[in-house]
Amino acid sequence: MNEPRLGQLAEIETAVWSELFAAVRDKGHAWRVGVLATTDGEAADARSVVLRDLDAAARTLLIYTDARSAKARQTERHPRGTLVLWSDALGWQLRLRVNLSLQTTGLAVSSRWAQLKMTPAAHDYLSPLPPGSTVEHPLPQRGSRVHFAVLEAEIVAIDWLELHAEGHRRAIFDARGRRWVAP
Ligand SMILES: Cc1cc2nc3c(=O)[nH]c(=O)nc-3n(C[C@H](O)[C@H](O)[C@H](O)COP(=O)(O)O)c2cc1C
């Protein structure tokens, strides 16, 4: 929080994207895990997710999930979500307005599953029961069907908030451009 503050909106936006890049590469980055909020049309829902990759040209973050999960179902009918990230080291919160789309087939999914399937994380996508099913025993069962899916989160707007002893600042980066807003 004691780093010199970036003064210009353009340099703040550039720094936000480079921190997002760092987050998908560095497991220790505070933005590696964020909270993804969605809705089922009636109620809000939210959960922690890991940011796995970033396609800067497409402005899209990738999240791995079980294709049968509640978040997957919710995004089919209600694709607009919000991803909230906080870094104490940066003093920065991001609220990313995202358009979500679930990919269950195609090269992006199969190549990522090929890398994952030999790792312990593969268990997460091999349960015979959908996430949230009532079970007799808490530890996961392993089935043979793969339910791995890639949730694409296209960033349509960035709401940046900096907490700082000399005064908090907030800015929006979206299709209308860059602008300061009251924090
Ligand atoms: C630190 C952490 C990281 C997580 N990362 C993911 C993830 O990347 N993908 C995922 O589907 N669930 C992840 N989870 C589990 C979700 O938070 C959630 O419990 C689960 O996906 C079911 O959510 P849903 O019923 O809303 O779909 C993570 C949980 C924690 C605590």
Side-chain angles (χ1 to χ4, degrees):
M1 287 238 226
N2 296 321
E3 294 284 311
R5 301 177 91 179
L6 300 175
Q8 304 296 320
L9 284 168
E11 55 182 359
I12 291 166
E13 187 176 19
T14 302
V16 164
W17 283 99
S18 77
E19 291 294 340
L20 284 172
F21 258 117
V24 298
R25 275 157 191 51
D26 171 7
K27 288 190 174 154
H29 196 292
W31 286 355
R32 172 83 173 172
V33 177
V35 176
L36 176 66
T38 52
T39 177
D40 64 5
E42 288 189 351
D45 206 349
R47 77 290 287 160
S48 305
V49 291
V50 178
L51 306 186
R52 304 283 184 166
D53 209 349
L54 172 64
D55 179 342
R59 301 170 68 88
T60 298
L61 285 160
L62 300 188
I63 295 156
Y64 296 170
T65 198
D66 186 308
R68 303 163 298 174
S69 64
K71 73 182 89 47
R73 282 199 311 274
Q74 289 162 5
T75 58
E76 274 170 22
R77 295 193 55 197
H78 304 283
R80 291 166 69 180
T82 297
L83 183 61
V84 181
L85 310 172
W86 160 249
S87 163
D88 193 45
L90 294 165
W92 289 1
Q93 170 186 263
L94 289 189
R95 285 198 288 173
L96 303 173
R97 314 295 175 194
V98 292
N99 273 332
L100 295 157
S101 64
L102 191 76
Q103 309 298 326
T104 54
T105 56
L107 189 60
V109 178
S110 58
S111 63
R112 285 164 195 282
W113 175 247
Q115 285 180 12
L116 253 186
K117 69 179 181 190
M118 306 313 266
T119 72
H123 283 276
D124 298 349
Y125 310 102
L126 288 165
S127 166
L129 295 170
S133 307
T134 302
V135 289
E136 292 288 326
H137 303 287
L139 288 175
Q141 307 280 302
R142 190 186 167 110
S144 52
R145 258 200 82 191
V146 178
H147 301 283
F148 175 71
V150 176
L151 191 55
E152 293 185 353
E154 182 205 357
I155 299 169
V156 291
I158 298 173
D159 181 336
W160 171 88
L161 174 70
E162 178 186 60
L163 298 189
H164 201 282
E166 288 161 22
H168 309 327
R169 298 184 301 173
R170 182 176 172 192
I172 307 284
F173 307 99
D174 63 10
R176 284 171 51 202
R178 311 176 180 111
R179 59 198 178 276
W180 297 109
V181 294

